Amino acid sequence: MVVNNMKNILFVNFIWLILFMGCSHLKANSVESVNSNVVMPTTEYSLGFNRIVFSIINNEGPESEKPLQVSVENMKTSKSFDVDPIFYNWPNKSGGFYVLNTTFAVEGDYLINIHDLSESDFIYKKEINVNDNQLTPKLGELIPFLDNKISTGIYDINEITSDPDPDYDFYKFSLSDALEHNKLIIVFFLSPNFCKTATCFPQLDVLKKLKSNYHDKITFIHVEIYENPHLIKGNLKNAKISPVLNEWNIKSEPYTFLIDKNNYLFRKFQGYVSYEEIENYIVKLINE
């Protein structure tokens, strides 16, 4: 578990440590290759559109982009289809991760087959489950209520966020107010100073950069994971999980949601999402 300021940690080495050694919801999986592992943080998926993320890890950390062939097989019917993996760099450009954007129309167990075309002996297989039990808000549906804290006379900024350099615009609007602005909305759940997965500061930097470029088109709302960030003082034994997380069934961090101008959930990103990936969807919505 990580409780220190993530800006004081060399990002790639630390994220490799967490991915490879494992944490509550991130653990390495065995593969046929001797020197590599594939990490797929999530194995439970829902009907409809899904974003499947995985990294290839070797003894030095996350690998750079490699030629991969990926197929998804229904284990009951044996029918399969190919999915093109999209590679994104980690923030410091050393290594990266892959995203599979795919849609499931039928519930059941599926097999992800990853073939490294540069190594004929490297074939990774991972089972995932697809069901209709989706806890977080569903894509294509109206966004539910969220009682997020805002910077007013009631709360000081250090009671709302653990970010040592906060952007006050992230705490300016409640979600109910933002829904009336006729703008895109990005809601993101993370704890900058007490992140458990080492990706919150890099994710926060991405969102700050997006805000600087799209502030006139998007309202950004940050929800701190902890109810009392000002009282933690480096010891998570003092921390209380924010009850607001229960409203959207948030069980991990970071988690980012992109909402369209009509207040429907357009995309959601569990874990780290790069600037390039989320910007592609922003541009699509702006141009509609």
Side-chain angles (χ1 to χ4, degrees):
M1 181 176 291
V2 180
V3 297
N4 294 322
N5 187 318
M6 292 305 139
K7 283 188 174 177
N8 295 328
I9 299 173
L10 182 59
F11 178 72
V12 167
N13 288 340
F14 197 76
I15 192 64
W16 166 78
L17 177 64
I18 288 183
L19 289 173
F20 192 75
M21 298 302 292
C23 134
S24 60
H25 56 287
L26 295 174
K27 60 182 179 179
N29 299 287
S30 61
V31 292
E32 294 180 17
S33 174
V34 175
N35 297 318
S36 298
N37 280 280
V38 170
V39 175
M40 188 177 293
T42 304
T43 58
E44 295 287 335
Y45 297 91
S46 59
L47 293 177
F49 177 85
N50 284 266
R51 174 181 181 259
I52 303 174
V53 179
F54 67 90
S55 294
I56 297 178
I57 310 294
N58 61 30
N59 293 333
E60 297 178 354
E63 294 188 357
S64 298
E65 184 174 10
K66 307 177 74 171
L68 302 180
Q69 185 179 61
V70 182
S71 65
V72 180
E73 178 184 350
N74 185 309
M75 297 180 66
K76 182 177 181 179
T77 65
S78 297
K79 293 182 178 179
S80 65
F81 56 90
D82 294 334
V83 182
D84 293 328
I86 305 171
F87 182 83
Y88 296 99
N89 285 297
W90 288 118
N92 71 345
K93 307 300 182 183
S94 177
F97 59 97
Y98 298 86
V99 173
L100 306 175
N101 292 315
T102 188
T103 300
F104 294 106
V106 179
E107 294 184 69
D109 294 321
Y110 289 78
L111 192 64
I112 307 295
N113 300 290
I114 303 171
H115 182 197
D116 185 346
L117 299 179
S118 66
E119 295 184 56
S120 59
D121 63 336
F122 182 92
I123 300 176
Y124 172 76
K125 298 178 182 292
K126 176 63 179 179
E127 289 185 26
I128 66 171
N129 179 261
V130 176
N131 58 67
D132 199 28
N133 299 322
Q134 195 166 20
L135 296 177
T136 55
K138 291 186 177 182
L139 296 181
E141 293 190 355
L142 281 170
I143 209 69
F145 176 78
L146 180 68
D147 187 22
N148 60 293
K149 290 182 179 179
I150 59 175
S151 180
T152 64
I154 300 176
Y155 299 108
D156 292 330
I157 193 67
N158 66 343
E159 297 179 75
I160 302 175
T161 178
S162 62
D163 186 358
D165 184 26
D167 185 327
Y168 281 74
D169 287 343
F170 289 167
Y171 315 97
K172 191 174 181 180
F173 299 107
S174 66
L175 179 61
S176 58
D177 289 336
L179 292 174
E180 299 178 359
H181 293 173
N182 193 34
K183 295 171 63 176
L184 304 181
I185 302 172
I186 290 180
V187 178
F188 54 102
F189 296 79
L190 56 83
S191 181
N193 218 31
F194 306 103
C195 190
K196 296 180 180 180
T197 63
T199 58
C200 292
F201 257 125
Q203 187 64 77
L204 187 59
D205 287 342
V206 164
L207 293 160
K208 286 182 176 180
K209 182 180 178 182
L210 283 168
K211 187 252 180 178
S212 68
N213 293 331
Y214 292 99
H215 60 89
D216 58 330
K217 295 179 173 60
I218 304 175
T219 300
F220 291 81
I221 295 176
H222 170 220
V223 181
E224 171 71 40
I225 297 298
Y226 298 106
E227 178 71 9
N228 59 338
H230 60 302
L231 300 178
I232 296 176
K233 299 178 180 179
N235 185 356
L236 282 181
K237 291 183 179 179
N238 301 324
K240 296 181 179 180
I241 300 295
S242 173
V244 176
L245 273 62
N246 294 329
E247 296 174 7
W248 283 21
N249 290 301
I250 302 298
K251 306 298 183 184
S252 64
E253 62 170 325
Y255 225 128
T256 305
F257 298 82
L258 174 61
I259 303 163
D260 69 19
K261 292 181 181 179
N262 297 313
N263 304 337
Y264 288 88
L265 181 59
F266 185 72
R267 285 292 179 266
K268 57 183 175 181
F269 310 90
Q270 184 179 16
Y272 177 80
V273 54
S274 71
Y275 183 96
E276 293 77 13
E277 184 179 358
I278 194 169
E279 185 183 43
N280 288 336
Y281 293 113
I282 290 172
V283 171
K284 181 178 181 179
L285 286 174
I286 290 175
N287 292 333
E288 283 186 349

